Amino acid sequence: MSDTEGHESAPAPSGPLLLLGDSLTEAGPWEEAFPDREVVNAGVTGDTTADVSARLDDVVARRPGIVVLMAGTNESRRATVEQVVRGLEDILFQLRHGLPDARLVVASVLPRERERADWIREVNIHVRQFAPTVKAEFLDLWPVFAEEDGELRPELTNDRLHLTDAGYAAWVQELRGLLG
């Protein structure tokens, strides 16, 4: 192996950094966090995986170089693990098909109330396993955001769901670490 093989990061894909998801994404300070990139915030409050899937034509039309997906938390009270996993897999499959050269990142579903922890862990296990099949990277935010019992760390939220400035700072740090 030459000195450059496997040691240099791939060139940054052309096109904007697009963040796709629900209110957790929509409320993020992405433009400020990535001032050196063109950023598109495609988060929509209340979106489920089906809602995100229905918006994918618009996402593909923007020709992003990087897509960061976080969805599924809005379904934790009414859908099965299998339904959410299938929804996330479908979104990733469609994104890969529509954006064959884009860098795809799927973030783990964030912890919420401890009563939802097992459901969220199960979703994340399946999505982590699926991501490589569509050449997507899995960004595991669980270790940074979860208490030992699976509760969202109180210093990162005011309502056990939405993030505070400290919560977004933690997410941005993890995302920067992955994107370089």
Side-chain angles (χ1 to χ4, degrees), residues 69 71 81 84-89 92 106-109 120-134 136-139:
L69 169 67
V81 167
V84 175
V85 169
R86 268 188 264 122
L88 289 167
E89 289 175 352
L92 289 168
V106 58
S108 59
V109 176
I120 295 169
R121 280 188 191 105
E122 193 68 25
V123 168
N124 288 337
I125 287 168
H126 289 288
V127 174
R128 178 194 294 268
Q129 292 170 343
F130 178 78
T133 68
V134 289
E137 299 165 81
F138 184 79
L139 176 60

Side-chain angles (χ1 to χ4, degrees), residues 5 22 41 54 64 84 89 91 98 107 112 115 119 138 141 150 173:
E5 282 183 17
D22 53 35
N41 185 336
V84 175
E89 289 175 352
I91 292 165
R112 291 182 58 161
E115 298 81 15
W119 184 95
F138 184 79
L141 297 173
Q173 182 176 346

Side-chain angles (χ1 to χ4, degrees), residues 39 67 77 95 111 116 129 153 180:
V39 175
V67 176
R77 293 181 187 267
L95 287 170
R116 307 262 174 261
Q129 292 170 343
R153 289 178 40 198

Side-chain angles (χ1 to χ4, degrees), residues 4 7-15 37 65-66 101-103 137 179:
T4 58
H7 297 287
E8 289 182 14
S9 59
S14 63
R37 301 177 189 257
I66 304 170
D101 298 322
R103 185 172 178 186
E137 299 165 81
L179 297 180

Side-chain angles (χ1 to χ4, degrees), residues 13 32 72 90 92 107 176:
E32 298 83 21
D90 181 60
L92 289 168
R176 275 193 188 132

